[in-house]
Amino acid sequence: MGRDVDRAAFSREDRVRYRQKVRRCLDVFALMLDDFGFDADRPMTGLEIELNLVDPNAEPAMRNDEILAAIADPLFQTELGRFNLELNANPRLIEGRGFADYERDLTGSLTRANDRAARSDTRIVLVGILPTLTERHLVADNLSTNERYRVLNDQIVGARGEDIELDIRGVERLRTHTDSIAPEAACTSLQFHLQVAPDSFADYWNASQAISAAQVAMGANSPFLYGRQLWAETRIALFEQATDTRPDELKAQGVRPRVWFGERWITSIFDLFEENVRYFPPLLPICETEDPVEVLHAGGVPELAELRLHNGTVYRWNRPVYDIMDGRPHLRVENRVLPAGPTVVDMLANAAFYFGLVRGLAEADRPIWSQLTFSSAEENFHAAARRGMDAILHWPRLGEVPVTTLVLDVLLPIASAGLDGFGVAPAERDRLLGIIEQRCRTGRNGAAWQTATVWAAERHRNLDRHAALRHMLQRYAELQRTNEPVHSWPIG
């Protein structure tokens, strides 16, 4: 939900009008899927990275407005917390040396941004959850100044009608309450976009759901929150709980959460937009002047603004996207399961693994979703978030299997073939998938490195937990700037 909001309250009439408009948009979208020309000739990819700002003591720096002004680059935008920014890479093809182009551009943008931030004694850190965050940092006063975040906070908290409970049981346990969505700002993610044709969207979305667990296990990088070691990818549990609009009674009734894995395999992108309209009341009932029926009948391309805004307030881990570029509509799968970091090359290895694997499975003769139950895919996803590279997953014909074995023996060859289908240069394919292979062989991803380094600081340096986290984060920031993959980082 990236649009600006210029109002803080909505009337009953606003909500009725918006609901009617969303349904009108949905009807038009159905007509478009039947016979409209969507742009899908050469599948573009996109990449978004959410960033953290820290001060010289490795504490969160609440100064994103100041840093954003200093960076003065339209690729950087605000995010939910005052210690967050977002970097949007320019979309591109990944054929040939597309990944190398991503790496060059991202490294250059981050280096320039870090140089500007350093003038204000601030550093940029790519990590799933900033380890030095405490409850005093994640309060409503530290939401970004853009009004849309305040309005979204008021709508989510108002819909719930009571404080939001956080209860995460991992290696240690965190149980607390919050009166705002500010803890969501701790969740800094890496998001992939893949343009797909309407008739193949369901295959790519289903494949994305099926492989989410393997992605999370390989890329986990969020083991600490409020000083406690929780899940390998605590960000999953935190995001699910911090934006939950349901009190306990609605949970007991089976009302769907707004952060949602889903509940079934789909046959069309329309299934997802229809679920959004059927199950989720609007959070931001803002209507535009466009009549999508009139636009469609006049031969134009409808914006479908209300449908898109509503979609942006349903936080699926794999989200459908309808968008318009250069006057042509297109569809994308937005893959949202991964955390930021540890390095640019690590994130691009995650990208290569995702893009290659999703294509390989989406175009397979026998779809994986015809062999794996949806409930097993969801159980795999949460098992991977809890245990990271130590997770045991269920996979067709293999039963219960360690995720590292599954990746090495089954998924990496599929990903390699999928990247060949995109026309990725063999050297780039092997370089990036080789990083995923080495994570499996060393047992080290971002979460594993963080926990091992904190453990060493506590036991060998006699540091308390907060001091150990600060030490670890300072070392993490230094190693991040080398752009060497995390599996090669020394512990300590």
Side-chain angles (χ1 to χ4, degrees), residues 407-408 412 432-442:
V407 170
L408 287 171
L412 277 175
L432 295 174
L433 293 185
I435 291 172
I436 304 297
E437 178 185 355
Q438 288 305 309
R439 286 186 206 160
C440 291
R441 299 198 185 283
T442 62

Side-chain angles (χ1 to χ4, degrees), residues 7 9 13 21 66 86 269 330 418 438-439 457:
R7 57 195 301 183
E13 291 77 13
K21 192 71 177 293
E66 175 188 349
E86 181 176 88
I269 186 174
H330 68 262
Q438 288 305 309
R439 286 186 206 160

Side-chain angles (χ1 to χ4, degrees), residues 218-240:
M218 292 297 103
N221 194 29
S222 313
F224 294 102
L225 176 63
Y226 293 169
R228 293 175 176 84
Q229 183 182 347
L230 301 171
W231 293 11
E233 189 48 38
T234 304
R235 190 184 115 268
I236 301 296
L238 177 59
F239 192 48
E240 289 178 342

Side-chain angles (χ1 to χ4, degrees), residues 80-393:
L80 181 61
R82 291 174 57 208
F83 58 93
N84 299 142
L85 293 176
E86 181 176 88
L87 170 58
N88 294 286
N90 288 318
R92 70 198 68 204
L93 300 170
I94 56 173
E95 66 182 22
R97 292 182 51 80
F99 284 114
D101 293 340
Y102 264 132
E103 185 171 2
R104 181 193 65 243
D105 290 353
L106 290 171
T107 302
S109 293
L110 288 167
T111 298
R112 288 190 296 273
N114 252 318
D115 290 344
R116 300 289 178 88
R119 300 173 189 173
S120 300
D121 288 330
T122 301
R123 283 190 295 182
I124 293 173
V125 177
L126 308 168
V127 66
I129 293 178
L130 196 62
T132 52
L133 283 168
T134 65
E135 290 186 74
R136 67 182 173 84
H137 296 126
L138 296 175
V139 295
D141 285 347
N142 285 332
L143 293 175
S144 288
T145 56
N146 190 309
E147 185 62 21
R148 74 172 181 259
Y149 300 120
R150 307 282 172 169
V151 174
L152 189 62
N153 174 75
D154 292 346
Q155 293 300 306
I156 288 177
V157 174
R160 186 179 175 91
E162 59 189 48
D163 283 358
I164 297 170
E165 181 181 23
L166 303 178
D167 187 359
I168 305 173
R169 306 181 191 200
V171 177
E172 297 166 349
R173 185 179 183 185
L174 171 68
R175 189 171 188 182
T176 187
H177 290 79
T178 176
D179 62 0
S180 76
I181 63 169
E184 182 195 338
C187 305
T188 40
S189 65
L190 168 66
Q191 298 161 26
F192 303 135
H193 292 255
L194 179 60
Q195 186 178 324
V196 294
D199 59 358
S200 61
F201 184 93
D203 293 344
Y204 275 84
W205 188 85
N206 289 340
S208 294
Q209 293 284 94
I211 65 175
S212 292
Q215 286 184 268
V216 169
M218 292 297 103
N221 194 29
S222 313
F224 294 102
L225 176 63
Y226 293 169
R228 293 175 176 84
Q229 183 182 347
L230 301 171
W231 293 11
E233 189 48 38
T234 304
R235 190 184 115 268
I236 301 296
L238 177 59
F239 192 48
E240 289 178 342
Q241 295 182 22
T243 55
D244 198 341
T245 57
R246 307 167 303 162
D248 290 342
E249 293 81 3
L250 292 185
K251 294 178 186 177
Q253 293 173 36
V255 173
R256 280 83 172 171
R258 292 197 90 98
V259 178
W260 199 29
F261 189 81
E263 60 191 18
R264 62 185 175 122
W265 305 119
I266 65 169
T267 58
S268 166
I269 186 174
F270 186 81
D271 296 347
L272 301 177
F273 281 100
E274 186 181 37
E275 285 179 349
N276 289 353
V277 175
R278 181 187 303 160
Y279 297 142
F280 299 100
L283 287 180
L284 301 171
I286 302 168
C287 288
E288 303 295 341
T289 58
E290 177 192 77
D291 184 333
V293 175
E294 290 183 0
V295 173
L296 185 65
H297 287 167
V301 180
E303 293 283 343
L304 306 183
E306 294 81 9
L307 189 69
R308 293 161 70 186
L309 176 59
H310 189 52
N311 184 53
T313 62
V314 179
Y315 305 101
R316 297 177 185 272
W317 292 110
N318 286 289
R319 178 188 277 166
V321 176
Y322 166 84
D323 207 350
I324 302 169
M325 183 68 66
D326 298 327
R328 292 191 66 186
H330 68 262
L331 305 177
R332 302 195 304 267
V333 177
E334 181 186 12
N335 177 257
R336 302 160 49 83
V337 305
L338 286 173
T343 64
V344 169
V345 74
D346 279 306
M347 292 188 293
L348 290 175
N350 293 339
F353 186 55
Y354 169 71
F355 289 130
L357 186 54
V358 75
R359 178 161 183 160
L361 290 177
E363 298 184 357
D365 292 335
R366 187 180 179 195
I368 186 65
W369 51 96
S370 70
Q371 308 168 63
L372 181 71
T373 66
F374 195 90
S375 60
S376 292
E378 184 173 15
E379 290 167 8
N380 283 346
F381 178 66
H382 286 101
R386 288 187 181 94
R387 301 201 61 196
M389 300 194 71
D390 294 326
I392 305 295
L393 305 184

